[in-house]
């Protein structure tokens, strides 16, 4: 059979071009990727062999072997894992499926220098071979295939690859790298030993390097010239092949945790934090959890699989087991190893067992306390919060049991701060509450600026009451679903009844009543003129600098933000009518009221009403009519 020529998926070609031309500074990572793939392939077969031991009876000892040939200039990485069929090789080595790579491609700018830095942030897996090789040959045989159904795949990394069935006498995969002339240091055993130790010490499969074994030369007899020692090569195990998480945490260095994270998560960056725990007692388990530095691009994609790696008695069972953590912690990577589940546990079974529920509860607590620890370091927490703050906000609603613990971790901007940074916790807020204040005031708007400058805040600001400023879409939803924290009720500054309570003061209340009765005529005139455009017109108790604002019916619980959210999702909503609040001390309102000509007054009324709508919603249904009215009055 002759080999078939295939074109790579377009993204792969782009990626390969970039790899070939990049000034990639950390070339040796190709070895980590290939060892990682070999180890994954062995884990998969190990798992299958639990129920079908015959699969490995010919070659039962799992191992990864690495051999350099200086004459042929090849570096060969061999594993006796699950192997690939021809179809699998064509699709797995010809397309990019892994999410990280997908994200990488999206982030490419075309600027070679920037792009090559980006490689450092995303995994490119198998294709990293082309950093050091100008040709890669893959020989493989799937565990399910006969000798004749072996595969030979080859590419020079230039847009095409060839593949064909060939006879392969062994199970597993052999990656043969034809090393570039500029990269021959990767043919030196000392260099290889160095890299292997660095990247594979934590891998539970033995990694063996083909090395020269020193044999002393036979003693020379009297009068004879001493003989050159004979050169002998053999495979020697380089890594200690003990799964990292089974070792005592105190003996593990941070770098080891970080390297293991990269193997486990296919992330190229170090994690932000890790937690390694061995728990004894009625439910024995070990967990190793990581918080990544960067959110994956598909964090909000419902279809994306996520979850921990599951091991039972140190045997890899499954990837992305989502049953161990709630959805709002889906960014956490890591593994759990327990003796309390059967080796043949299925995904379905996992969902239902009490062991899973107990583990989920414990692991959730652990992650929340990890995040709590991060919060002690302000800079680190800011870094974390930028990436994952909005996901965390799903928590108080999804996980009622941990509601308060999660709320404690949330951060917001506030009128107390001079910038938009998210640094104020509910606890901070409570510690600064005014005497007599028993509510937590917040406002949701389109942006930080809109929140900060909202007319709804004027009265609260004038009283020196802090207001939390929120502008993320999820904030509206979150605040609509929780009512209190630490016994303090949340009150939206947008709501009609601001519930100032004791803060308003008796005198102020009386004054408001007086103001209302004094301005009866004003209110009536606006009402008559605006007609059914508005729901009602009232005299405001909160406006200080602005002439007017609009409020939606608090009892309907649908604030403007929520409306926009629903409209954006394609729902048709009936037009909502608002109550117009007037500030009778404002010059514009007074000027309007002074108009004796009703037509003129109507223009003022329209302007005062529509500018309130505009301030609140950032847009008007009929902006040109607004502009017309405004120009008419300006050019008077
Ligand atoms: P990833 O490991 O993130 O899936 P890679 O680019 O490293 O991405 O590998 C692509 C795919 O090729 C793997 O998912 C696997 O299916 C297949 N593969 C790579 N190396 C091996 C191997 N040594 N044995 C079996 N399959 C492999
Ligand atoms: Mg890989």
């Amino acid at each position: 059979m002759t080999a078939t020529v295939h074109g790579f998926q377009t993204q792969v070609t782009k990626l390969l071009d970039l790899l070939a031309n990049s000034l990639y500074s950390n070339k040796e990572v190709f070895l980590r990727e290939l060892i990682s793939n070999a180890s994954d392939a062995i884990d998969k077969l190990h798992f299958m062999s639990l129920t079908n031991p015959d699969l490995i009876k010919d070659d039962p000892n799992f191992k990864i072997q690495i051999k350099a040939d200086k004459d042929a200039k090849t570096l060969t990485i061999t594993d006796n894992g699950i192997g690939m069929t021809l179809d699998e090789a064509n699709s797995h080595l010809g397309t990019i499926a892994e999410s990280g790579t997908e994200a990488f491609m999206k982030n490419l700018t075309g600027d070679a220098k920037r792009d090559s830095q980006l490689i450092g942030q995303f995994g490119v897996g198998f294709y990293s071979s082309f950093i050091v090789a100008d040709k890669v040959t893959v020989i493989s045989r799937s565990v399910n295939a006969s000798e004749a159904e072996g595969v030979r795949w080859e590419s020079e990394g230039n847009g095409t690859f060839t593949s064909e069935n060939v006879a392969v006498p062994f199970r597993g995969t052999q990656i043969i790298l034809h090393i570039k002339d500029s990269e021959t240091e990767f043919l030196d055993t000392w260099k290889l030993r160095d890299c292997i130790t660095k990247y594979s010490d934590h891998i539970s499969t033995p990694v063996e390097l083909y090395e020269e074994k020193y044999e002393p030369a036979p003693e020379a007899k009297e009068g004879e010239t001493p003989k050159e020692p004979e050169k002998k090569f053999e495979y020697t195990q380089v890594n200690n092949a003990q799964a990292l998480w089974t070792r005592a945490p105190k003996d593990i260095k941070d770098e080891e945790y970080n390297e293991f994270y990269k193997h486990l998560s296919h992330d190229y960056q170090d994690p932000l934090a890790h937690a390694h725990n061995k728990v004894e007692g009625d439910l024995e388990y070990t967990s190793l959890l990581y918080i990544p530095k960067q959110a994956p691009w598909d964090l909000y994609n419902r279809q994306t699989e996520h979850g921990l790696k599951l091991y039972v008695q140190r045997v890899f069972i499954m990837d992305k087991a989502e049953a161990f953590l709630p959805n709002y912690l889906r960014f956490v990577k890591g593994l759990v190893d327990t003796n309390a589940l059967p080796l043949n546990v299925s995904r379905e079974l996992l969902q239902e067992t009490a062991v899973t529920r107990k583990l989920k509860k414990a692991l959730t607590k652990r992650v929340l306390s990890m995040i709590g620890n991060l919060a002690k370091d302000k800079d680190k927490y800011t870094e974390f919060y930028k990436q994952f703050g909005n996901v965390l906000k799903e928590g108080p609603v999804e996980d009622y049991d941990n509601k308060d613990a999660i709320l404690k971790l949330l951060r917001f901007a506030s009128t107390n701060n001079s910038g938009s940074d998210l640094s104020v916790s509910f606890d901070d807020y409570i510690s600064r509450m005014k005497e007599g204040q028993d509510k937590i005031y917040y406002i949701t708007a389109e942006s930080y600026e809109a929140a900060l400058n909202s007319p709804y805040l004027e009265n609260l600001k004038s009283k020196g009451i802090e207001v939390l400023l929120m502008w993320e879409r999820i904030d509206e939803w979150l605040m609509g679903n929780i009512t209190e924290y630490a016994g303090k009720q949340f009150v939206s500054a947008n709501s009609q009844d601001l519930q100032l309570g004791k803060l308003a003061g008796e005198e102020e209340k009386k004054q408001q009543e007086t103001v209302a009765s004094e301005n009866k005529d004003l209110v009536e005139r606006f009402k008559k003129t605006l007609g059914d455009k508005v729901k009602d017109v009232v005299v405001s108790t909160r406006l200080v600098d602005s002439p007017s604002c609009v409020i939606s019916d608090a009892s309907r619980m649908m604030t403007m933000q929520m409306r926009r959210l629903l409209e954006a999702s394609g729902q048709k909503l009936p037009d909502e009518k608002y109550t117009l609040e007037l500030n009778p001390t404002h010059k514009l309102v007074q000027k309007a009221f002074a108009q004796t000509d009703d037509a003129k007054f109507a223009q003022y009324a329209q302007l005062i009403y529509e500018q309130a709508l505009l301030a609140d919603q950032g847009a008007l249904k009929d902006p040109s009519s607004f502009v017309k009215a405004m120009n008419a009055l300006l050019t008077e």
Side-chain angles (χ1 to χ4, degrees):
M1 180 179 160
T2 50
T4 314
V5 181
H6 299 265
F8 280 113
Q9 186 192 23
T10 337
Q11 282 104 307
V12 179
T13 310
K14 272 205 247 164
L15 181 67
L16 290 173
D17 280 348
L18 190 68
L19 279 174
N21 302 320
S22 75
L23 320 151
Y24 202 50
S25 58
N26 198 10
K27 292 181 169 157
E28 63 194 38
V29 295
F30 81 90
L31 201 59
R32 169 174 77 212
E33 294 306 315
L34 296 182
I35 292 176
S36 186
N37 285 350
S39 154
D40 287 347
I42 285 172
D43 276 351
K44 284 178 199 158
L45 181 57
H46 188 183
F47 174 64
M48 287 168 73
S49 72
L50 295 175
T51 45
N52 190 356
D54 281 354
L55 286 177
I56 57 167
K57 72 171 188 299
D58 296 339
D59 183 8
N61 299 319
F62 291 117
K63 58 181 179 290
I64 299 167
Q65 294 187 319
I66 298 177
K67 179 179 180 178
D69 182 334
K70 279 194 168 162
D71 300 326
K73 288 201 204 145
T74 57
L75 178 65
T76 303
I77 293 102
T78 309
D79 69 69
N80 54 358
I82 194 167
M84 284 176 272
T85 62
L86 185 59
D87 282 348
E88 285 165 347
N90 286 341
S91 84
H92 296 163
L93 306 180
T95 56
I96 295 181
E98 207 228 310
S99 59
T101 323
E102 188 86 55
F104 170 71
M105 299 310 301
K106 277 205 186 129
N107 276 281
L108 290 184
T109 58
D111 170 356
K113 204 164 169 202
R114 263 217 57 206
D115 290 350
S116 59
Q117 279 167 357
L118 271 174
I119 301 181
Q121 284 175 32
F122 297 99
V124 291
F126 169 74
Y127 303 108
S128 61
S129 311
F130 291 99
I131 297 172
V132 297
D134 44 26
K135 184 163 86 178
V136 178
T137 310
V138 179
I139 304 292
S140 190
R141 178 172 144 197
S142 162
V143 64
N144 295 314
S146 68
E147 176 162 351
E149 294 167 322
V151 177
R152 184 170 195 278
W153 179 105
E154 193 165 82
S155 176
E156 292 177 10
N158 53 5
T160 59
F161 63 87
T162 60
S163 63
E164 63 189 312
N165 276 122
V166 295
V168 175
F170 54 87
R171 173 197 81 219
T173 303
Q174 197 163 58
I175 312 278
I176 304 163
L177 306 178
H178 305 266
I179 299 291
K180 292 179 188 169
D181 285 338
S182 56
E183 312 299 340
T184 48
E185 64 169 327
F186 291 109
L187 297 171
D188 283 331
T189 43
W190 64 264
K191 174 72 182 175
L192 291 168
R193 180 171 263 278
D194 198 46
C195 296
I196 297 167
T197 318
K198 188 156 154 206
Y199 294 128
S200 67
D201 220 28
H202 55 265
I203 283 177
S204 44
T205 308
V207 178
E208 300 175 350
L209 178 64
Y210 194 68
E211 291 182 298
E212 190 178 333
K213 191 184 168 207
Y214 179 74
E215 291 252 309
E219 288 268 326
K221 292 204 183 95
E222 285 248 355
E224 262 181 354
T225 40
K227 283 206 179 104
E228 280 282 303
E230 215 180 316
K231 282 203 173 176
K232 254 193 150 174
F233 283 83
E234 64 180 22
Y235 280 108
T236 51
Q237 185 173 330
V238 176
N239 64 342
N240 73 14
Q242 186 188 359
L244 182 87
W245 68 95
T246 61
R247 290 163 53 195
K250 67 172 172 36
D251 298 333
I252 304 175
K253 294 199 232 46
D254 277 355
E255 296 86 75
E256 292 180 278
Y257 278 123
N258 291 352
E259 277 310 322
F260 187 66
Y261 165 76
K262 291 174 190 168
H263 163 65
L264 191 93
S265 67
H266 300 198
D267 188 347
Y268 261 54
Q269 294 186 85
D270 285 339
L272 194 61
H274 72 256
H276 181 192
N277 297 86
K278 294 184 178 213
V279 176
E280 275 155 28
D282 47 331
L283 177 57
E284 282 187 23
Y285 70 92
T286 300
S287 62
L288 177 51
L289 305 171
Y290 291 95
I291 296 176
K293 259 203 187 115
Q294 211 166 23
W297 66 279
D298 53 0
L299 187 60
Y300 292 98
N301 183 346
R302 295 253 152 224
Q303 267 96 56
T304 309
E305 294 179 323
H306 55 87
L308 303 179
K309 271 196 182 203
L310 172 66
Y311 289 78
V312 170
Q313 296 166 39
R314 288 164 203 197
V315 178
F316 168 76
I317 304 295
M318 70 178 82
D319 251 330
K320 307 201 164 144
E322 72 273 276
F324 296 109
L325 282 176
N327 214 31
Y328 69 96
L329 297 179
R330 60 186 174 274
F331 54 88
V332 173
K333 305 266 162 117
L335 65 87
V336 55
D337 186 352
T338 179
N339 294 354
L341 288 167
L343 279 165
N344 62 356
V345 68
S346 67
R347 243 169 237 279
E348 293 68 37
L349 199 69
L350 206 54
Q351 301 287 357
E352 290 158 15
T353 70
V355 170
T356 309
R357 276 193 295 277
K358 277 189 204 160
L359 282 171
K360 181 175 181 177
K361 206 169 158 192
L363 295 175
T364 302
K365 287 238 149 60
R366 184 137 283 145
V367 175
L368 291 177
S369 88
M370 253 171 115
I371 300 175
N373 275 334
L374 278 179
K376 289 179 193 156
D377 177 336
K378 209 166 167 268
D379 290 343
K380 254 196 175 173
Y381 201 59
T382 306
E383 201 182 331
F384 165 81
Y385 205 78
K386 252 191 230 146
Q387 297 292 326
F388 304 111
N390 282 338
V391 193
L392 214 54
K393 288 175 189 164
E394 298 172 11
V397 180
E398 183 191 342
D399 184 1
Y400 194 79
D401 289 347
N402 289 306
K403 182 176 105 323
D404 284 349
I406 306 163
L407 288 177
K408 215 181 189 36
L409 298 170
L410 301 187
R411 298 291 181 271
F412 299 97
S414 146
T415 51
N416 192 65
N417 282 13
S418 56
S420 63
D421 53 311
L422 309 174
S423 59
V424 178
S425 69
F426 291 128
D427 289 326
D428 296 336
Y429 182 97
I430 290 170
S431 73
R432 290 194 286 258
M433 287 203 317
K434 288 254 171 237
E435 227 185 278
Q437 183 182 351
D438 59 354
K439 308 253 189 309
I440 299 175
Y441 296 98
Y442 70 92
I443 186 161
T444 52
E446 263 307 79
S447 64
Y448 166 68
E449 287 75 19
L452 183 68
N453 299 317
S454 167
Y456 301 110
L457 299 190
E458 289 174 6
N459 190 25
L460 290 164
K461 267 192 207 158
S462 74
K463 289 191 161 55
I465 296 171
E466 181 172 359
V467 180
L468 297 175
L469 307 172
M470 309 181 183
W471 59 88
E472 296 288 350
R473 293 216 144 174
I474 191 167
D475 293 335
E476 180 79 21
W477 173 83
L478 170 66
M479 299 313 284
N481 277 292
I482 54 175
T483 52
E484 54 148 64
Y485 173 75
K488 308 278 187 286
Q489 218 185 322
F490 293 118
V491 175
S492 164
N494 309 60
S495 57
Q496 189 160 13
D497 174 16
L498 242 187
Q499 307 175 37
L500 284 178
K502 283 188 207 130
L503 289 170
E506 276 309 304
E507 213 153 291
E508 204 171 333
K509 262 185 215 157
K510 260 200 205 121
Q511 204 192 334
Q512 276 163 16
E513 277 162 26
T514 325
V515 171
S517 73
E518 275 173 10
N519 292 288
K520 245 192 173 146
D521 294 347
L522 173 89
V523 166
E524 280 310 313
R525 198 169 173 199
F526 270 90
K527 247 192 229 178
K528 220 175 108 202
T529 307
L530 292 170
D532 58 5
K533 276 193 192 155
V534 294
K535 191 163 164 271
D536 199 4
V537 180
V538 294
V539 182
S540 178
T541 57
R542 67 179 118 201
L543 294 176
V544 178
D545 301 322
S546 306
S548 57
C549 70
V550 288
I551 40 185
S552 60
D553 194 341
S555 64
R556 288 181 53 197
M557 271 306 299
M558 201 198 289
T559 54
M560 320 277 178
Q561 283 290 308
M562 191 59 118
R563 244 188 116 72
R564 240 167 277 156
L565 207 82
L566 292 173
E567 277 169 351
S569 75
Q571 297 200 40
K572 273 239 174 303
L573 300 169
D575 273 349
E576 192 163 12
K577 281 189 192 170
Y578 302 101
T579 296
L580 175 67
E581 275 192 21
L582 291 171
N583 176 1
T585 62
H586 197 280
K587 272 220 177 93
L588 185 62
V589 177
Q590 290 176 347
K591 200 170 170 192
F593 195 46
Q595 301 300 320
T596 46
D597 176 12
D598 276 346
K600 190 119 284 168
F601 174 76
Q603 276 181 332
Y604 272 100
Q606 181 193 354
L607 213 62
I608 289 170
Y609 168 59
E610 289 188 347
Q611 68 166 265
L613 274 182
L614 186 61
D616 189 74
Q617 306 181 356
L620 288 174
K621 283 237 164 70
D622 185 1
S624 66
S625 135
F626 173 75
V627 171
K628 234 188 225 158
M630 183 176 70
N631 289 344
L633 294 176
L634 284 173
T635 53
E636 230 176 39

